[in-house]
């Protein structure tokens, strides 16, 4: 592109980031070139450090820089909230009063992409439930086809263990406008309507 | 954010890239963590390599990995196209039949941000014009306030040298719709109208 190999290579690696096109990759590369050496060194070091130090919690599969993550260390596994990815733990943690632990599946069942139940961390979830006295498993996978299917699959699988399996509620988002809600969301919101006392 | 220092640090450096917010930075960081070691090492190396190898052409100020860039080596400086940034050279080069050279100002005059004529590469442009037998200087700075002011400033400065100074035409973009053109663009397009033979 620029006929400068090192620059083209850098644009290339930036393009490999999710959602980054050629123009954005160029802007990122120019930012590196136009900054001082210290900036480039810090940038490179942060990448290597994060890759080296960040691993998955042996218990729940979330990101951690220890063997077991802070959440697993501090909280009891009475309630396990099952999510698709580590970033979902980050989202759920914004709900300040949830004091259960998490289980990161690292994917959802997706036949179209050849991801079956054995490709995600379902075995590990079963092991945790058997090991601990888990009372409830909250399925907090995404409200899309794969997330639903995975939630249903796991719920069925857990039935023999006598553990309560719940699904996060689906309905209209707080602060949104009905006008812009899609029909499936509205249908779910109607179906799951609750009585006002 | 994630309470993992190395991960937060990585999210931080990604946020320092232009136009990157917290969510995007997290997605980039997760991509690094979720890829293999080789990917992270290549990424870090590309940054350091680009920073080390890419420098500014001593002649025109464009990016290069040599002393003098390919364009300056191959073409004669009869026509010099003056641009604000190296990425503008890349844009102009898409016009295949331009065979002049470039001069990168590395900024435009901007009193609000304390950037005066001495802060950008105007002296270097004067030196090039005096050294070479330059016939024309095309001012291709952006069609905004700073770009206009810089073009006017340089045009005035070059007058005593007897070199022809031109400005890229301003008008409606090819393929655009009049409906969406702003009034200043339309006014310029009217003003600079040409006769149809």
């Amino acid at each position: 592109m620029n006929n400068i190999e090192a620059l083209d290579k850098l644009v290339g690696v930036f393009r490999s980031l999710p959602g980054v096109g050629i123009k954005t990759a160029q802007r990122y590369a120019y930012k590196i070139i136009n900054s001082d050496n210290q900036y480039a060194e810090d940038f490179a070091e942060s990448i290597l450090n994060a890759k080296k130090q960040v691993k998955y919690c042996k218990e729940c599969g979330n990101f951690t820089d220890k063997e077991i993550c802070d959440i697993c260390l501090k909280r009891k596994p009475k309630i396990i909230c099952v999510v698709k990815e580590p970033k979902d733990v980050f989202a759920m943690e914004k709900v300040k009063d949830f004091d259960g632990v998490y289980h990161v599946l690292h994917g959802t069942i997706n036949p179209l992409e050849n991801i079956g139940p054995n490709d995600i961390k379902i075995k590990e979830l079963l092991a945790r439930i058997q090991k601990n006295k888990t009372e409830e498993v909250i399925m907090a996978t995404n409200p899309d086809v794969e997330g639903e299917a995975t939630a249903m699959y796991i719920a069925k699988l857990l039935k023999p263990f006598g553990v309560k399996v719940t699904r996060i509620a689906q309905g209209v988002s707080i602060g949104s406008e009905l006008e812009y809600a899609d029909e499936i969301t509205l249908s779910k919101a109607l179906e799951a309507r609750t009585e006002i006392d």
Side-chain angles (χ1 to χ4, degrees), chain A residues 20-195:
Chain A
V20 174
I22 174 81
K23 290 253 177 192
T24 306
Q26 280 179 336
R27 283 175 67 206
Y28 292 172
Y30 293 161
K31 164 80 184 177
I32 301 274
I33 306 287
N34 288 328
S35 302
D36 56 18
N37 282 328
Q38 192 57 45
Y39 178 81
E41 281 161 24
D42 281 353
F43 210 118
E45 203 190 300
S46 298
I47 290 173
L48 295 176
N49 263 349
K51 185 62 198 159
K52 201 167 68 185
Q53 289 175 27
V54 180
K55 42 204 173 199
Y56 299 120
C57 168
K58 291 223 161 140
E59 199 64 33
C60 72
N62 189 16
F63 289 143
T64 180
D65 50 3
K66 313 182 187 74
E67 284 287 287
I68 305 288
C69 78
D70 285 344
I71 296 177
C72 285
L73 276 179
K74 281 181 202 152
R75 304 186 195 161
K76 281 185 189 132
K78 279 199 167 172
I79 304 179
I80 299 181
C81 177
V82 178
V83 294
K84 182 185 177 191
E85 288 173 272
K87 65 180 169 201
D88 300 325
V89 173
F90 179 67
M92 291 301 294
E93 277 295 284
K94 286 189 271 185
V95 184
K96 297 286 177 218
D97 49 1
F98 176 70
D99 69 343
V101 296
Y102 295 92
H103 186 83
V104 183
L105 292 175
H106 288 279
T108 39
I109 298 170
N110 188 341
L112 287 180
E113 291 189 8
N114 262 325
I115 305 175
N118 292 326
D119 300 317
I120 59 176
K121 310 273 176 200
I122 295 183
K123 277 192 308 286
E124 290 79 354
L125 176 63
L126 290 183
R128 282 180 83 186
I129 289 164
Q130 286 174 295
K131 194 179 70 179
N132 305 297
K133 282 171 189 154
T134 305
E135 289 166 4
E136 185 178 349
V137 171
I138 304 174
M139 294 304 308
T141 47
N142 291 330
D144 54 17
V145 178
E146 292 81 22
E148 276 311 303
T150 308
M152 292 308 127
Y153 180 89
I154 293 178
K156 218 170 171 182
L157 206 69
L158 294 186
K159 209 146 207 189
F161 297 93
V163 61
K164 184 175 165 192
V165 184
T166 54
R167 178 85 174 110
I168 49 166
Q170 295 173 13
V172 289
S173 305
I174 314 300
S176 67
E177 292 180 51
L178 275 198
E179 188 185 351
Y180 301 113
D182 64 289
E183 54 197 49
I184 303 173
T185 299
L186 284 175
S187 152
K188 291 263 182 188
L190 259 183
E191 206 179 292
R193 65 189 180 278
T194 53
E195 205 176 332

